[in-house]
Amino acid sequence: MLEYDVAVIGAGPVGSHIASELAGLGYKVAVFDAARTAGENVCCTGIVSAECYQRFIAPLDIPSRPARAATVFSPSGQSLRIEKTETQAYIIDRPALNRTLAERGKHLGADYHFNSRVVSLEPSPDGCLIRLERHGAGDAAITKVAVVACGLSSAIPRKLGLGRIKYCAVGAQAEVKTGVDEVEIYFDQELAPGGFTWLVPTWNGNGLVGIVSRRSAAYGLKAFIERFRSNGKVTSVSAVRQKAIPMAMLSRTSSNRILVVGEAAGQVKPTTCGGIYTGMLSAELAVTTIKRAMETSDFSSRSLAKYDQAWRSYLGDDLRKGYLARRYYDTLSNRQIDNLFRTIQTTGLHEQLLGWRDFSFDWHGALLLRLVRQPRVIRVLLASGIGWSPRSLGALLELTTS
C-alpha cells in the first residue's frame, strides 16, 4: 500500500500549488487525478488579475497577454467600453498553467498519479485510507491528511458529511479562430440565464468563446457561436468543453484529516465565476494549517478547522456579497439590464467606477456595495419587470445594508 504524509486529490492549479509547497518543506506528498495528464480537458478562460499574475503566474513563464480594456454588451446591443491605462488582467494559457505547476510539484518531490480516480476517503484515528481506481483496477493508499481539490463535480465532500453546494452554474467553452483583439462580454438572460458570455482573444489568431449559465449552457454557447460566425468575429470552432461552477460556499471545508480547497469548497467569485486567485490564496492557508498539524501531530477536526476559519475570515465576506448580487441578478429581465446599461452610460457611472479607490479586479464586495447604493442604480433595480420573489428582494436588501 502507498503511504504518504499528504495526499492531494486533483492536479489543477490549487492542488499542484499545495503539493509543491508541502513537498518543498520536505513532506512526502502524492497527487491523484483521474485525467491521463496534467492540463487535460481544461474548461477555464484563464483571465487573472494583475495582482494574481504577479504573485502566482509570472514566475512560471507560461504564455500570456496583458489586458487593460473590455467591451460589455447589453441584451439589445448597447455597449460600454471599460478601459484603464494600466494593465488590469492577464489572459494566460490555462492548460499550460496546469502542466507547469505539475512539473514544479514533481521537481520538488511530489509523486503524481494520473489515471487514478479517488473512490472514497476513510479517515480514522490512525490515518486516512484512500480507495482508488487506477488503470482499471482497485488500489489504496494511506495518508496523514488528505486535501480535496478536484472541483465541484466530486461527491467526496458530501460523502464525508461536509455538505453539498446546490447553487451552481454550468460553464461551457470552445476554442475558436478570431480577429477580435480585446475581451468582449455579453449579457442576455434568454441565452445565458443568470450568467453571461464572452469572446476572449488569446494569441496567434486564436480565442475562446464561453458561457456561464444557470441552465442550457450548451444551447446558449451554440447560439452565441452562430452569432459570432454571422458577424465575422469567429471562423472555425473546436474543443468544446463544459463543467459545473459553484456560486456559493461549502458549509464545511474541514474535518478529521480532511481539507477541501478551491472549487470543491466554493472558493469562487460568484460575480465572474473566477476561482484561480481565490483558490490559490486558500491553498496557502491550507498549507499553513497542514504544516502546523504536522508539527503537532494533530489532524483532528478541531485542529484543521483553523483552515476553515482562516479562509472564511479572509475571503468569506467578499464571496458572500458576490453571492447576494448573483442571486439578485438571476431575477433581472433583459429589459432591466438594458435600462441599467442606459443609466450607467448616460451618467458615466462606469468611468466613475474605474476611478474609485476600491476598484479591484479581484475584490468585488466593497465595489458592489457602493454600486447598488447609487440612487439611480437602485431606481433601475426596483423598476417593473423584476422577479419579485422574497429571496431576490431579501438578497438585495441584505446586500445594500451589509
Side-chain angles (χ1 to χ4, degrees):
M1 182 182 293
L2 300 170
E3 294 187 16
Y4 291 96
D5 294 321
V6 183
V8 179
I9 303 18
V14 170
S16 283
H17 185 61
I18 292 172
S20 295
E21 294 296 303
L22 292 171
L25 292 172
Y27 298 114
K28 190 176 181 182
V29 181
V31 180
F32 297 101
D33 198 291
R36 293 173 298 176
T37 59
E40 182 182 63
N41 295 325
V42 171
C43 183
C44 175
T45 307
I47 299 181
V48 299
S49 68
E51 181 180 345
C52 176
Y53 181 82
Q54 294 302 330
R55 182 167 177 177
F56 294 111
I57 313 297
L60 302 175
D61 192 28
I62 63 173
S64 61
R65 61 176 291 181
R68 61 183 182 84
T71 302
V72 185
F73 294 89
S74 77
S76 66
Q78 299 175 67
S79 65
L80 291 172
R81 192 166 187 274
I82 301 171
E83 181 179 12
K84 294 199 77 170
T85 54
E86 63 272 17
T87 296
Q88 292 298 296
Y90 287 84
I91 303 164
I92 64 172
D93 186 332
R94 272 293 282 109
L97 177 63
N98 285 31
R99 292 192 296 267
T100 303
L101 285 173
E103 287 302 316
R104 178 172 174 250
K106 293 176 186 177
H107 177 74
L108 289 168
D111 292 340
Y112 275 71
H113 302 274
F114 290 100
N115 278 314
S116 300
R117 187 176 73 87
V118 174
V119 178
S120 67
L121 298 178
E122 300 173 15
S124 73
D126 300 320
C128 184
L129 178 65
I130 304 173
R131 297 197 182 276
L132 302 160
E133 285 183 1
R134 303 182 66 201
H135 309 286
D139 202 348
I142 190 78
T143 184
K144 294 176 182 177
V145 61
V147 179
V148 180
C150 48
L152 183 61
S153 60
S154 173
I156 292 174
R158 177 179 54 81
K159 291 179 179 179
L160 291 169
L162 298 176
R164 178 185 177 190
I165 299 174
K166 297 180 180 179
Y167 183 52
C168 57
V170 176
Q173 184 169 267
E175 297 176 9
V176 299
K177 288 289 184 180
T178 180
V180 171
D181 60 4
E182 281 188 355
V183 174
E184 296 183 354
I185 300 169
Y186 296 80
F187 292 94
D188 188 327
Q189 293 284 49
E190 294 181 4
L191 293 179
F196 54 92
T197 307
W198 60 88
L199 173 56
V200 172
T202 52
W203 32 83
N204 301 324
N206 298 311
L208 297 166
V209 174
I211 187 172
V212 168
S213 177
R214 294 277 287 143
R215 60 182 183 275
S216 305
Y219 170 79
L221 180 65
K222 181 179 178 181
F224 267 101
I225 288 174
E226 290 307 313
R227 180 185 298 183
F228 293 145
R229 280 183 188 275
S230 65
N231 61 23
K233 289 186 175 182
V234 160
T235 53
S236 63
V237 180
S238 61
V240 178
R241 300 185 178 95
Q242 64 179 20
K243 70 171 184 179
I245 302 171
M247 308 276 242
M249 297 174 274
L250 191 66
S251 56
R252 289 176 57 206
T253 58
S254 63
S255 184
N256 180 38
R257 296 187 181 273
I258 307 289
L259 295 181
V260 186
V261 190
E263 290 185 4
Q267 293 160 346
V268 173
K269 292 175 284 188
T271 44
T272 63
C273 298
I276 295 177
Y277 195 35
T278 46
M280 297 292 259
L281 291 173
S282 299
E284 299 213 319
L285 296 172
V287 168
T288 299
T289 302
I290 292 171
K291 181 175 179 290
R292 187 186 302 114
M294 290 289 185
E295 292 169 347
T296 59
S297 297
D298 184 357
F299 306 98
S300 65
S301 296
R302 182 176 180 179
S303 171
L304 298 185
K306 293 173 183 175
Y307 155 74
D308 198 279
Q309 295 160 6
W311 81 259
R312 290 183 196 278
S313 175
Y314 192 24
L315 300 170
D317 184 63
D318 202 74
L319 295 182
R320 178 179 157 277
K321 287 185 173 69
Y323 163 81
L324 293 172
R326 171 64 68 178
R327 292 306 299 242
Y328 193 71
Y329 173 75
D330 282 352
T331 71
L332 293 178
S333 66
N334 276 350
R335 175 185 173 186
Q336 276 193 294
I337 294 172
D338 276 319
N339 288 341
L340 187 57
F341 263 72
R342 195 172 299 111
T343 299
I344 292 172
Q345 197 168 43
T346 56
T347 61
L349 187 56
H350 59 304
E351 296 173 352
Q352 296 176 40
L353 183 148
L354 292 173
W356 289 346
R357 287 187 177 182
D358 51 5
F359 177 82
S360 171
F361 190 89
D362 286 309
W363 305 97
H364 301 157
L367 195 66
L368 285 167
L369 204 56
R370 288 190 64 181
L371 189 61
V372 298
R373 284 176 175 173
Q374 299 291 314
R376 294 184 181 183
V377 172
I378 291 176
R379 283 198 293 271
V380 173
L381 293 178
L382 295 179
S384 59
I386 194 169
W388 290 94
S389 71
R391 178 174 293 180
S392 67
L393 291 174
L396 180 62
L397 179 62
E398 192 173 348
L399 179 60
T400 53
T401 58
S402 60

